[in-house]
Amino acid sequence: MGNNRIMLNEAVKFHGHLGPYLVLGILAGELAIKKLGCKKHFGLMVKVRGATKKPKSCLVDGLQLSTGATYGKGNIHKLDGRKIKIEFCNSNNNKKFILRFRESLIQRLEETKTHRDSELLAKRLYKTDSHKLFNLTPNT
Ligand SMILES: [Zn+2]
């Protein structure tokens, strides 16, 4: 990862504030690029379910930053859903997977109520190994 990571200050400049869902979008997108071996911007399609309202929808901005898939290019979509579920697809070879939040992560997010706690959690999540946060399944 190293220098290619989206920095938190960059993300805040784009999004306007620091929150856990923004960071989770960054982490999920970075993981997808790596796992699918796809190119940023044009090389993938992203479908996000269950993140239509704030603060969950902040996830979408993190995903746009890290994957380069954007509304302008039409390769990221926000759909209804009861739970957060993100489908990533490599546009060149159709390789896909689905990412869901682990129960432990969902619990931590639910327990975080104040603005200050949200910022702290965001910073902590940024340093956390993605595999401790997300469950990945192939989508066939
Ligand atoms: Zn936000």
Side-chain angles (χ1 to χ4, degrees):
M1 306 277 256
N3 297 330
N4 291 326
R5 290 204 74 184
I6 299 289
M7 302 305 287
L8 281 187
N9 58 354
E10 256 182 272
V12 170
K13 214 166 146 187
F14 173 71
H15 182 68
H17 77 111
L18 179 61
Y21 287 96
L22 175 68
V23 171
L24 290 166
I26 293 170
L27 296 179
E30 286 177 340
L31 182 67
I33 295 285
K34 208 168 117 185
K35 192 174 162 59
L36 293 174
C38 55
K39 288 208 174 90
K40 271 183 85 166
H41 305 290
F42 290 97
L44 75 166
M45 176 69 79
V46 185
K47 286 180 192 164
V48 192
R49 287 178 199 279
T52 46
K53 289 182 199 154
K54 279 193 288 183
K56 289 181 180 172
S57 55
C58 298
L59 187 68
V60 181
D61 276 356
L63 284 165
Q64 289 189 97
L65 272 167
S66 57
T67 63
T70 61
Y71 279 106
K73 291 194 292 298
N75 55 350
I76 184 162
H77 301 278
K78 202 163 69 170
L79 304 153
D80 287 335
R82 206 173 53 81
K83 279 191 167 186
I84 289 172
K85 179 175 152 181
I86 311 169
E87 182 190 303
F88 295 99
C89 179
N90 180 329
S91 314
N92 295 319
N93 59 15
N94 227 29
K95 220 169 91 181
K96 292 176 186 178
F97 75 92
I98 287 178
L99 179 151
R100 292 179 180 84
F101 288 5
R102 286 188 186 271
E103 268 318 309
S104 54
L105 171 61
I106 294 170
Q107 216 154 43
R108 276 168 88 186
L109 289 162
E110 279 171 2
E111 284 163 7
T112 306
K113 309 277 187 206
T114 68
H115 182 72
R116 191 183 145 67
D117 284 350
S118 294
E119 281 198 350
L120 284 174
L121 178 60
K123 285 177 188 162
R124 226 168 273 149
L125 290 173
Y126 185 73
K127 294 179 196 156
T128 305
D129 176 4
S130 304
H131 290 97
K132 289 181 182 156
L133 305 171
F134 307 134
N135 277 319
L136 311 182
T137 47
N139 176 28
T140 47

